[in-house]
Amino acid sequence: MFKQMSVTILTGMIVTSNVTSIEASDKEKGLLDPERIVNIAHRGASGYAPEHTMLAYEIGHKKLKADYIEIDLQMTKDGHLIAMHDETVDRTTNGKGAVIDKNLAEIKQLDAGSWFNDLYPSNAKMSYRGLKVPTLNEIFERYGKKANYYIETKSPNVYPGMEEKLLKTLAQYGLSSGKIKPGQVMIQSFSQESLQKIKYLDPNLSLVQLLEAKEIKNISKNQLYTIKSYAVGVGPSFKGLTPISSQMIREEHLLLHPYTVNEESDMHRMLDYGVTGVFTNFADRFNEVRQQHTSR
Ligand code: G3P
Ligand code: CA
């Protein structure tokens, strides 16, 4: 039933990506290989479907063939990790209020799809109405080891215990560092403290330090050394990234995954800078651009 619905939704909406032998050979490289360029479906296929819904993940993973699905985490009052970008439910559901003030049962009453139809009428679908906010457990339940996950601890200061809960959930689904291929689970955060806590809890998980545009603009070698002590890469805003800062990062053998790169011209520019992947709402578009770039 779900599969049928996805196919109908996708018809005529997404440019089908040609998976070529170039991409195939790229996929033979490990996810942490600095020669590999990864495609991260930001909040799922959020350019085409309501962000952070199972449908957005399904499209990003199956149809657009992104290397990763990206998941922002918030935590409910009763301690469930849910996929949501904002600390409140206001923007992406028909509800109001802070996630931390709601139990999962209340979150599950909300419609997480209709806002997308109102905001993007040209991409609106009846089937988006009434989509639910997924829990991290539900996402792992569906994909298990078949997907690669790029998970962000959002507002960790608001949610004490979030990191422990995340590690426990990973373990529950056999996704702890020893049980997965390297890089299959990436943990990202703007909070250095949160990443260092995760490093302490599971030293072998692959971590990525997110940076705002103003932070990456003036990044120093010393800051990169510090990041390198706990992370395998940086995820800066592409708006602050320059050829020089990109080179500095690559010289430190850190992965470089800028967010959120949606325009073709920016994708080309990022690839020219030598990034090792991008977060994008349009993973199909990046597949095309990446392919053109690799065939040059
Ligand atoms: O995680 C990379 C990027 O998603 C960070 O920005 O606000 O979209 O979570 P945001
Ligand atoms: Ca994010």
Side-chain angles (χ1 to χ4, degrees):
M1 159 105 177
F2 185 84
K3 252 187 190 163
Q4 260 179 356
M5 185 171 72
S6 306
V7 169
T8 314
I9 286 162
L10 291 171
T11 306
M13 193 169 82
I14 293 163
V15 179
T16 307
S17 193
N18 261 338
V19 181
T20 64
S21 55
I22 293 162
E23 284 177 16
S25 69
D26 204 42
K27 282 191 193 296
E28 282 159 20
K29 295 173 191 148
L31 288 160
L32 300 178
D33 187 330
E35 297 304 315
R36 178 161 173 181
I37 298 165
V38 296
N39 188 346
I40 307 154
H42 182 244
R43 312 183 192 179
S46 57
Y48 299 108
E51 66 183 58
H52 288 315
T53 58
M54 290 304 294
L55 188 51
Y57 296 133
E58 189 72 3
I59 298 170
H61 175 67
K62 287 236 176 90
K63 178 74 183 175
L64 307 191
K65 302 193 186 309
D67 297 304
Y68 285 96
I69 50 174
E70 197 240 357
I71 305 162
D72 293 323
L73 292 181
Q74 305 283 341
M75 197 157 86
T76 63
K77 189 176 173 184
D78 50 348
H80 294 271
L81 293 174
I82 60 164
M84 188 172 284
H85 179 272
D86 301 355
E87 281 173 42
T88 73
V89 300
D90 301 21
R91 182 178 60 87
T92 55
T93 76
N94 60 342
K96 283 216 174 307
V99 173
I100 198 168
D101 293 332
K102 295 182 189 301
N103 289 324
L104 182 61
E106 294 170 76
I107 299 277
K108 283 292 185 186
Q109 297 300 313
L110 303 174
D111 172 351
S114 294
W115 68 273
F116 182 92
N117 289 349
D118 297 338
L119 199 60
Y120 305 108
S122 58
N123 277 342
K125 302 277 172 198
M126 284 290 284
S127 50
Y128 292 168
R129 286 169 58 177
L131 290 176
K132 299 291 176 205
V133 174
T135 61
L136 185 63
N137 290 56
E138 286 166 339
I139 298 166
F140 288 164
E141 202 77 58
R142 169 151 312 166
Y143 297 109
K145 291 191 181 183
K146 292 191 190 123
N148 304 318
Y149 306 96
Y150 217 120
I151 302 169
E152 180 176 352
T153 53
K154 277 275 180 219
S155 319
N157 51 330
V158 177
Y159 307 112
M162 173 182 237
E163 292 85 358
E164 286 84 350
K165 182 78 189 181
L166 169 57
L167 275 279
K168 205 171 148 195
T169 310
L170 287 169
Q172 193 182 335
Y173 289 90
L175 294 166
S176 303
S177 62
K179 310 225 161 158
I180 51 173
K181 57 188 179 197
Q184 182 164 23
V185 174
M186 302 287 273
I187 309 292
Q188 42 158 350
S189 190
F190 286 101
S191 164
Q192 189 184 73
E193 201 183 336
S194 181
L195 291 176
Q196 285 176 330
K197 189 169 181 189
I198 291 166
K199 182 85 183 166
Y200 173 76
L201 293 170
D202 183 346
N204 296 317
L205 265 178
S206 301
L207 309 181
V208 168
Q209 178 67 59
L210 297 175
L211 298 167
E212 290 174 10
K214 59 178 186 294
E215 294 174 306
I216 188 66
K217 261 184 192 150
N218 301 310
I219 195 98
S220 67
K221 280 259 177 201
N222 273 347
Q223 285 170 300
L224 290 176
Y225 290 149
T226 305
I227 290 172
K228 215 176 148 178
S229 68
Y230 59 87
V232 298
V234 293
S237 164
F238 84 96
K239 292 177 183 162
L241 198 63
T242 63
I244 290 174
S245 55
S246 303
Q247 194 184 338
M248 280 167 64
I249 292 161
R250 294 301 311 275
E251 278 173 4
E252 288 308 320
H253 305 289
L254 284 160
L255 298 176
L256 175 54
H257 297 160
Y259 65 89
T260 304
V261 191
N262 290 329
E263 300 300 327
E264 235 181 273
S265 56
D266 292 323
M267 290 173 177
H268 279 292
R269 188 161 54 87
M270 290 300 113
L271 291 170
D272 287 340
Y273 286 4
V275 303
T276 58
V278 304
F279 293 84
T280 180
N281 299 348
F282 301 94
D284 51 341
R285 194 176 293 168
F286 186 62
N287 272 335
E288 296 288 330
V289 170
R290 179 175 60 175
Q291 187 192 323
Q292 289 164 24
H293 202 268
T294 323
S295 357
R296 272 188 203 166

